[in-house]
Every structure is written in structure tokens, then in C-alpha cells.
């Protein structure tokens, strides 16, 4: 008989896949997720009984599996997903963290939250409607967030008599659009989430389809990225100085390793100051170790007594990102209030928050034909565009293409703390004064004129 410890050991040995679902309202995302959980035997008995009771109370003869994910009362009443619903489940082959993101255009911005850490995105399309504007928007966000794998699930095939030409036309249109966006890989699957066709088990109604089911693809898609092999980055979250008789000279820098690994004896640089030192100790949960890697939370001890506040970035001395105050980035605007040129904001990058000004909005992406609308003047909710921002203090940002963790940032309203925009840094914006000096003057009395 298998012991609990043995089961846990088997589970820990499996790989982990983070994935997100997206699609328009009524495309069946919640039903798909519910079907995945139900047919993979990942639903507890009391959860299923509760769903059956609610479904019966609504006059439905079969359980409404969408209720397994629509957890908010407003979602159940309106029949739409509002918040990002996270679900955790496992099969013998792999563990999963699923982010079920909203489909309503008003909540498209929530997909940025759900897909920002995903390695795969499942985008649903209603076979009756085909590719719509919201489908294109979700594909654009998947490309913008550099999600490595995209699955197009053409749902409700039972409502189009499981017709292969319907599926083929939608798959061809979406794949061409996604590849134009730069999505590296697209897998298309015809499904019926309500009937269970090609979700977990192969469909007897679509013998013309010879590809994997949704779950089979989720279980076998390669999780090739490894943050431990990325550029090593350590944002300082807290400086530990107990100043006790037992540890009179202890000074440690605590935080979570954002990417890569650090070793005792390694030469490091501290940004933005550029000062260098050597790692002389690493504490992991109070235990000294010789090496630590992402996503471990550790305390680094350095050889030299350097002034390192919260928000500084510790990196290998031979792998230092560019430091500057002019940032050009692609952004998704997520707030109801617009983002405008000249607006004063706070920019949050890892554990560092600085004042900034939106200097320019060069373009906004038009989703219909992927053209750039120049100089829009502002970005409104769900817009994707390019911005140029000037910060009050130097920041060390990686290119988002190289590091999703240290190449991303948020723009925040300084008045009430509302998140305005999610940004993905690209090449640094060169100052327009032409003198090649990237240093900025000190802010004025109000702290914003820089």
C-alpha cells in the first residue's frame, strides 16, 4: 500500500505547469476548467455535491461544472467570470496552477495578472462565432507577455455538428494572426467542454481529429524555461541588522531571488550605485548554504560594508544590466482612468518604487490589423501601446524578452495607489538633449520636475 509520504514524494517529483485560460464571455472557459477538474478526478466529493445542489435548484438536470470556478456570488449571478480564479490540481504526470481569467472586455486587464507568470495560455473560441476582437486582444496579450505556448480551444463543436471545416477555418485564421504577433507556438484543439469532447478523453464525435486532448497537451508540453539559468538577479527587500551582543556586526540583505543563482565567493555588483563586493555567506531559513537559486528567499552576506537600502538590485559583477532613468516599454493600460502624456506616476520595479513622469506615448496598437496608431495622446483601459517614462532615480531593468521578472514594472497613481499600467521594458529610451549624458537633474521642490 502506498504511504502518504510516498505519494508526496511522487508528487514533488512531477513538473509544474502554470497556465491561464482566456476567451470572450460565454465561450465556456469556466465550463472547460470545471470539466478538466471533474474528469481528471480533481474535485472533492463535497465540492461536487454543492455544485449538484445549486444546479438542481436552478432546474438543471446535470451539474453545471462552471460553478466549480465561478466562486464569487456576482459571478454566479451574472454568469460571467470577474476575478482571476486560481485552481490547483495534479495528475500522475504533472502538477498544475491554473488561472481562469475573465472574458468580459471590461476585465481584460485581469488577464495580465493571470498570464504574467504563465508558461501556457488556453484561448477559447466559440465555434459559432469564430475569431472576434476579444480573441485578438487575448492573443496580443499572450504575445506581449511572452507566454511560450498558446492553445486555441475551439469550443462548442457540438453546436456546429462537429464539422471539421468550421474548425479548420477558425484554426487557420487564429494561427496566422498569432504568428504575426510573434507567438512562438500555437496548438489548436476542437472541443466541447459541456459534453467533454477532447478535454480529458478523446472524442468519438470527431474522428477526423488526430491530435492530443487538452489535458494530454497540458501534461506533455515541454516546460523548457528555467529561471535558474537566467541572469541572476536579487532585489533587496529588507536589511537585517540585529545589533545584538551575539551578532554585533551582522548585516544581511534579505529577499527572494528573482532569477538565476548565487554562490558563496561570487563577485557581485550592487545597483544602481555600481559598487562591488563578494558574497561571503548565504542564509536559507536560518541555515548557511553555499548556493541558492530562484525562487528561494534568502539572506545574502557581503564582504564589504556597503550602504544597500531596500530596492537595490544585487547582480553578478560580470552580468550587469543597463542602469538609467529613461525607459521605453510596451504597456497594457489596466485602469479606468486614462494614462496621458505629462502624467506624474510612481514606477514600481521589483522592490523599488520611484517617482516618474510619462514623457511620451509614441503609439497605440490597433488590434484589427496590428498597425500602430501614432501619437494617440493617451491610453485608455485595455489599450496596448508604447510609452516613454523618465524616472527621478536610476533603475536597473532587464529587457523583458530576457527576463519576465526584472523586465516588468507597474505605473501607479501616487494619489490613491491605483495600478494604472503594466509595463514590459524594451530598449532604453535615449535622452533627446543629444549630449549623451543620461544623468538627470535633482527633482524640484515638488519632486516631479526631472
Amino acid at each position: 500500500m502506498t504511504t502518504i509520504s510516498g505519494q508526496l514524494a511522487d508528487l514533488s517529483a512531477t513538473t509544474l505547469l502554470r497556465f491561464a485560460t482566456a476567451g470572450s464571455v460565454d465561450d465556456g472557459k469556466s465550463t472547460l476548467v470545471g470539466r478538466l477538474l471533474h474528469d481528471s478526478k480533481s474535485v472533492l466529493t463535497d465540492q461536487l455535491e454543492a455544485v449538484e445542489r445549486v444546479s438542481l435548484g436552478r432546474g438543471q438536470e446535470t451539474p453545471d461544472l462552471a460553478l466549480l470556478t465561478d466562486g464569487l456570488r456576482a459571478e454566479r449571478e451574472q454568469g460571467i467570470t470577474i476575478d482571476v480564479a486560481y485552481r490547483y490540481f495534479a495528475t500522475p504526470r504533472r502538477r498544475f496552477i491554473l488561472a481562469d481569467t475573465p472574458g468580459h472586455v471590461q476585465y481584460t486587464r485581469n488577464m495580465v495578472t493571470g498570464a504574467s507568470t504563465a508558461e501556457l495560455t488556453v484561448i477559447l473560441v466559440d465555434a459559432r462565432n469564430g475569431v472576434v476582437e476579444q480573441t485578438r486582444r487575448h492573443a496580443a496579450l499572450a504575445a506581449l507577455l511572452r507566454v511560450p505556448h498558446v492553445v486555441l480551444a475551439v469550443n462548442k463543436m457540438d453546436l456546429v455538428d462537429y464539422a471539421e471545416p468550421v474548425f479548420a477555418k477558425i484554426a487557420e485564421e487564429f494561427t496566422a494572426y498569432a504568428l504575426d504577433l510573434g507567438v512562438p507556438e500555437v496548438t489548436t484543439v476542437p472541443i466541447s467542454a459541456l459534453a467533454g469532447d477532447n478535454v480529458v478523453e478523446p472524442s468519438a464525435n470527431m474522428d477526423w481529429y488526430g491530435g492530443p486532448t487538452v489535458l494530454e497537451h497540458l501534461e506533455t508540453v515541454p516546460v523548457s524555461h528555467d529561471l535558474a539559468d537566467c541572469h541572476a538577479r536579487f532585489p533587496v527587500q529588507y536589511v537585517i541588522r540585529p545589533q545584538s551582543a551575539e551578532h554585533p556586526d551582522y548585516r544581511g540583505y534579505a529577499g527572494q531571488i528573482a532569477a538565476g543563482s548565487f554562490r558563496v565567493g561570487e563577485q557581485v555588483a550592487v545597483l544602481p550605485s555600481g559598487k562591488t563586493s563578494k558574497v561571503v555567506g548565504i542564509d536559507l531559513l536560518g541555515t548557511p548554504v553555499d548556493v541558492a537559486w530562484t525562487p528561494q528567499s534568502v539572506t545574502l552576506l557581503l564582504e564589504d560594508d556597503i550602504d544597500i537600502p531596500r530596492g537595490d538590485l544585487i547582480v553578478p559583477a560580470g552580468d550587469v544590466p543597463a542602469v538609467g532613468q529613461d525607459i521605453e516599454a510596451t504597456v497594457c493600460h489596466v485602469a479606468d482612468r486614462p494614462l496621458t502624456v505629462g502624467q506624474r506616476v510612481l514606477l514600481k520595479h521589483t522592490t523599488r518604487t520611484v517617482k516618474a513622469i510619462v514623457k511620451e506615448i509614441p503609439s497605440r496598437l490597433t488590434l484589427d490589423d496590428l498597425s500602430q496608431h501614432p501619437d494617440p495622446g493617451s491610453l485608455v483601459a485595455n489599450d496596448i501601446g508604447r510609452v516613454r517614462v523618465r524616472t527621478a532615480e536610476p533603475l536597473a531593468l532587464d529587457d523583458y524578452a530576457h527576463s519576465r521578472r526584472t523586465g516588468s514594472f507597474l505605473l501607479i497613481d501616487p494619489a490613491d495607489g491605483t495600478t494604472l499600467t503594466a509595463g514590459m521594458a524594451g530598449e532604453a529610451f535615449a535622452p533627446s538633449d543629444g549630449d549623451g549624458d543620461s544623468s538627470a537633474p535633482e527633482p524640484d521642490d515638488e519632486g516631479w520636475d526631472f
Side-chain angles (χ1 to χ4, degrees), residues 58-287:
R58 293 177 171 181
Q60 297 170 302
E61 296 182 358
T62 58
D64 184 357
L65 298 180
L67 297 177
L68 290 170
T69 56
D70 287 342
L72 299 178
R73 173 179 291 182
E75 292 175 341
R76 295 193 298 266
E77 291 175 349
Q78 298 179 47
I80 64 172
T81 301
I82 295 174
D83 199 6
V84 179
Y86 289 93
R87 292 295 180 268
Y88 308 86
F89 68 102
T91 68
R93 304 177 71 177
R94 180 167 280 177
R95 293 173 293 134
F96 302 96
I97 298 178
L98 182 157
D100 183 25
T101 67
H104 194 284
V105 64
Q106 181 181 349
Y107 305 107
T108 304
R109 53 202 171 192
N110 291 31
M111 182 187 171
V112 177
T113 301
S116 61
T117 58
E119 292 112 2
L120 181 146
T121 295
V122 179
I123 299 178
L124 270 77
V125 170
D126 188 325
R128 300 168 299 176
N129 302 327
V131 176
V132 297
E133 181 182 1
Q134 191 70 338
T135 311
R136 291 190 288 269
R137 182 175 284 110
H138 286 140
L141 285 176
L144 175 63
L145 295 167
R146 294 191 176 271
V147 180
H149 307 281
V150 172
V151 174
L152 175 70
V154 181
N155 193 23
K156 304 188 180 182
M157 288 295 296
D158 53 315
L159 300 183
V160 294
D161 297 325
Y162 299 104
E164 181 181 7
V166 174
F167 167 74
K169 180 181 178 181
I170 295 172
E172 181 180 5
E173 180 182 356
F174 178 87
T175 301
Y177 183 83
L179 293 178
D180 285 343
L181 284 168
V183 174
E185 178 185 276
V186 178
T187 300
T188 57
V189 186
I191 68 169
S192 170
L194 186 64
D197 293 287
N198 285 336
V199 178
V200 173
E201 300 295 335
S203 172
N205 298 304
M206 291 179 279
D207 53 6
W208 45 264
Y209 173 73
T213 66
V214 173
L215 182 61
E216 183 181 355
H217 183 69
L218 294 177
E219 289 182 322
T220 57
V221 66
V223 184
S224 57
H225 89 285
D226 186 356
L227 287 174
D229 294 331
C230 296
H231 304 282
R233 301 291 185 257
F234 182 80
V236 176
Q237 184 173 355
Y238 187 71
V239 180
I240 300 177
R241 296 190 64 190
Q243 297 180 325
S244 62
E246 185 180 358
H247 303 285
D249 300 322
Y250 187 96
R251 181 196 291 263
Y253 306 98
Q256 184 184 50
I257 300 176
S261 60
F262 289 86
R263 296 178 178 275
V264 172
E266 183 176 9
Q267 294 290 329
V268 295
V270 181
L271 304 177
S273 69
K275 295 179 180 179
T276 59
S277 186
K278 183 171 71 173
V279 178
V280 295
I282 302 176
D283 288 344
L284 174 64
L285 299 176
T287 302

Side-chain angles (χ1 to χ4, degrees), residues 260-339:
S261 60
F262 289 86
R263 296 178 178 275
V264 172
E266 183 176 9
Q267 294 290 329
V268 295
V270 181
L271 304 177
S273 69
K275 295 179 180 179
T276 59
S277 186
K278 183 171 71 173
V279 178
V280 295
I282 302 176
D283 288 344
L284 174 64
L285 299 176
T287 302
V289 296
D290 292 328
V291 61
W293 53 85
T294 184
Q296 292 177 331
S297 295
V298 299
T299 301
L300 298 185
L301 308 176
L302 302 185
E303 184 177 54
D304 302 287
D305 189 6
I306 302 175
D307 181 18
I308 304 177
R310 171 185 169 89
D312 277 11
L313 191 68
I314 299 176
V315 303
D319 184 15
V320 179
V323 178
Q325 292 172 262
D326 294 287
I327 300 168
E328 182 170 357
T330 301
V331 302
C332 177
H333 191 62
V334 300
D336 292 326
R337 68 196 75 167
L339 184 75

Side-chain angles (χ1 to χ4, degrees), residues 362-438:
S363 62
R364 182 184 69 238
L365 179 67
T366 303
L367 294 174
D368 287 335
D369 57 5
L370 299 180
S371 63
Q372 297 289 338
H373 177 72
D375 299 319
S378 66
L379 297 176
V380 299
N382 300 318
D383 274 351
I384 298 171
R386 295 288 291 178
V387 301
R388 290 170 180 161
V389 178
R390 176 78 164 172
T391 60
E393 304 171 24
L395 291 176
L397 273 77
D398 287 295
D399 192 314
Y400 186 80
H402 299 148
S403 175
R404 295 170 76 184
R405 293 284 298 276
T406 55
S408 58
F409 62 87
L410 297 175
L411 298 183
I412 300 170
D413 191 326
D416 58 11
T418 299
T419 297
L420 301 173
T421 306
M424 281 61 70
E427 295 182 1
F429 171 51
S432 59
D433 55 16
D435 61 7
D437 183 8
S438 62

